[in-house]
Amino acid sequence: MNENILSQLAGFYRDSIGNPHSSDHQFGWLCAAKVEKSATVIANLIGAEVDEVVWTSGATESNNFALTSLAKSSLANERKRILVSAIEHKCVLESANALAEHADFVVETIPVDSSGLVCLESLSKQMADDVLLVSVMAVNNEIGTVQDLSAISKIVRKHSSYFHTDAAQAPITMRVSDMSQFADLISLSSHKIGGPPGIGALYIRRDIAGSLVPLFHGGGQQGGLRSGTLAVPLCEGFAAAASSLMDDDIDRQRSELLELTQHFTAGLTAIDSDIQLNGPDFSKRHIGNANIQFPGNDAQDILLRLQPNLAASTGSACTSGIRGSSHVLREIGLSQIEARSSIRFSPGFASTIDDADEAIRLLSKILIDKS
C-alpha cells in the first residue's frame, strides 16, 4: 500500500463513525458526503459521472458483477454468446464458464499473439449480432500487455454488443481519463493502485444500469445494484490513491518507474543470455511489470530461496496455492516447462535503483550457486 495512503487511513477510520446509508442523523449525512466525494474522484479518474460508479469489494467482484448481471438482464435478449480474451484473469474466465454451464451461454476465447495482444482480425471474424458481451483486460496482470481498447471497442460496437474491460492494472501505467468512452463496463481495484485492499468499483454506463440485475439483495443501497453497508474509510482510501494518479507529477513518476523496470530487466538478462523477458516490449507493457523466464530453473525453487528478502510471484496472486503453469504464458506460446521457469516481478513507485540492484544481486547469487 502507498505509504501516504496508509498514514491517512487511521484518520479516515477515526472520522467515519456513521453509517453512510443512515439518513436520519448528521453522522450518516457526513459519511454519505464522504462516499459521494470519493465516488466523484473515481469517476474523474476514468472520465465518467459519479452516478456511474458502483462500489464493490474489488476487481474480482466487479468482474463477476459485470458478466453475470448483464447476462441475467433484459439486455441479453437473444444474444447468447460471450467472447473473452484467452489471457483474461481467472475470475473473468470462471464467471464466463459459469454462465455457459448454468445459463446456456456460449463462451468463446479470442486468441492473442506472442505479446499477448488480442488478434483484432480474429475478433472481427468472431463478432456477430448474437454476441452479448466482449471482455478484454486493459492491461494484463501477468505479462503487462496493454491492449488497444479503442480498436477493440470499434469492432464490438459495430454489432451493438457490450464491451467490458478489467482495468485493475491500467491506472498505474497510463492515463485512463478517456476509458469510459470505449467501454460500457469497467472494473477497478483499490490495492492495484496503492490503496487499501477490500474495495473496488465497477463503472456501469448510465443508460444500461437500470436494466442490470444485482448480485446482492438487501436494503437497496447504491441504486439497488449492490446492497450492503459501505466501508467509508476504504472508499476514501481508494479515492486518495486515485487522486495521486491524477497529480501533475505522475508522468515523471511513471517515466522513472519505467526506467527502473528496464534497468532491472537488463540486469537480469545480463546474468545469462538465456534469461529473457516474457510478453511484449516496453512500448506496449505495464511500466512496473517484468515477467522473466529463467530457463533450466524451477521458479518455485528460486522464489523459496529468495525469501524473506524479495517478494515476487509465478503468476496471478489470485491463483496462488493452485499448482500449475500460468494459462497466460501458455496462451502466448510458452511450453509448460518454460512457464514454470518464469517469475513475475512488480516494481512500484516506491522502489529504487538500489532495490533493483539488490534484487539482481540476490538472483545472480542463487543462479550461480545452482550452476
Side-chain angles (χ1 to χ4, degrees), residues 257-334:
L257 177 53
L258 174 58
E259 289 178 8
L260 185 148
T261 307
Q262 290 174 319
H263 171 83
F264 174 68
T265 302
L268 291 184
T269 55
I271 297 172
D272 186 327
S273 60
D274 289 332
I275 295 174
Q276 59 185 292
L277 182 70
N278 294 322
D281 62 37
F282 281 100
S283 66
K284 295 180 180 179
R285 189 185 195 98
H286 189 294
I287 56 176
N289 176 287
N291 193 303
I292 307 292
Q293 185 183 152
F294 298 91
N297 292 275
D298 181 79
Q300 291 288 351
D301 180 52
I302 293 176
L303 289 175
L304 286 174
R305 289 170 180 263
L306 285 170
Q307 302 313 305
N309 300 304
L310 180 63
S313 174
T314 55
S316 170
C318 298
T319 57
S320 61
I322 302 175
R323 190 73 168 123
S325 59
S326 159
H327 75 284
V328 173
L329 297 180
R330 296 299 301 277
E331 290 292 344
I332 64 170
L334 272 66

Side-chain angles (χ1 to χ4, degrees), residues 155-197:
I155 295 171
V156 173
R157 287 181 172 169
K158 285 180 181 178
H159 295 273
S160 299
S161 302
Y162 297 99
F163 181 33
H164 163 254
T165 186
D166 176 351
Q169 300 281 342
I172 287 290
T173 199
M174 62 189 188
R175 290 191 178 273
V176 294
S177 56
D178 62 348
M179 189 170 282
S180 63
Q181 297 178 25
F182 307 122
D184 305 293
L185 299 141
I186 301 172
S187 299
L188 297 166
S189 178
S190 169
H191 77 276
K192 295 299 184 184
I193 64 171

Side-chain angles (χ1 to χ4, degrees), residues 53-284:
V53 174
V54 174
W55 298 103
T56 68
S57 62
T60 291
E61 182 190 332
S62 294
N63 289 335
N64 275 267
F65 189 174
L67 272 68
T68 305
S69 182
L70 181 62
K72 292 183 177 181
S73 74
S74 59
L75 298 173
N77 199 7
E78 297 301 315
R79 294 174 178 257
K80 301 297 287 185
R81 291 172 63 219
I82 295 173
L83 307 183
V84 296
S85 88
I87 59 170
E88 287 304 294
H89 192 282
K90 280 290 187 180
C91 65
V92 168
L93 297 177
E94 292 303 316
S95 294
N97 289 337
L99 290 171
E101 183 176 353
H102 302 294
D104 297 325
F105 279 84
V106 175
V107 177
E108 300 173 16
T109 57
I110 313 161
V112 297
D113 64 18
S114 60
S115 295
L117 290 168
V118 162
C119 179
L120 298 179
E121 184 178 354
S122 294
L123 173 60
S124 294
K125 290 179 179 178
Q126 289 175 274
M127 287 300 301
D129 291 344
D130 62 346
V131 173
L132 171 65
L133 175 72
V134 174
S135 184
V136 177
M137 200 178 223
V139 179
N140 187 264
N141 59 313
E142 293 191 39
I143 57 173
T145 306
V146 178
Q147 302 288 349
D148 187 343
L149 297 187
S150 175
I152 294 170
S153 178
K154 288 177 182 177
I155 295 171
V156 173
R157 287 181 172 169
K158 285 180 181 178
H159 295 273
S160 299
S161 302
Y162 297 99
F163 181 33
H164 163 254
T165 186
D166 176 351
Q169 300 281 342
I172 287 290
T173 199
M174 62 189 188
R175 290 191 178 273
V176 294
S177 56
D178 62 348
M179 189 170 282
S180 63
Q181 297 178 25
F182 307 122
D184 305 293
L185 299 141
I186 301 172
S187 299
L188 297 166
S189 178
S190 169
H191 77 276
K192 295 299 184 184
I193 64 171
I199 185 76
L202 177 64
Y203 158 79
I204 304 174
R205 206 181 74 209
R206 182 184 292 116
D207 61 328
I208 67 173
S211 300
L212 297 188
V213 177
L215 293 187
F216 299 161
H217 300 275
Q221 291 89 343
Q222 300 202 74
L225 285 172
R226 186 187 185 268
S227 294
T229 302
L230 289 170
V232 179
L234 296 184
C235 295
E236 291 183 285
F238 188 4
S243 292
S244 71
L245 297 178
M246 293 184 278
D247 287 347
D248 293 336
D249 193 43
I250 190 61
D251 288 335
R252 178 191 61 80
Q253 293 181 59
R254 286 190 176 117
S255 178
E256 290 179 353
L257 177 53
L258 174 58
E259 289 178 8
L260 185 148
T261 307
Q262 290 174 319
H263 171 83
F264 174 68
T265 302
L268 291 184
T269 55
I271 297 172
D272 186 327
S273 60
D274 289 332
I275 295 174
Q276 59 185 292
L277 182 70
N278 294 322
D281 62 37
F282 281 100
S283 66
K284 295 180 180 179

Side-chain angles (χ1 to χ4, degrees), residues 256 259-261 263-264 350-360:
E256 290 179 353
E259 289 178 8
L260 185 148
T261 307
H263 171 83
F264 174 68
S351 303
T352 66
I353 290 292
D354 287 343
D355 293 333
D357 288 340
E358 175 62 9
I360 293 167

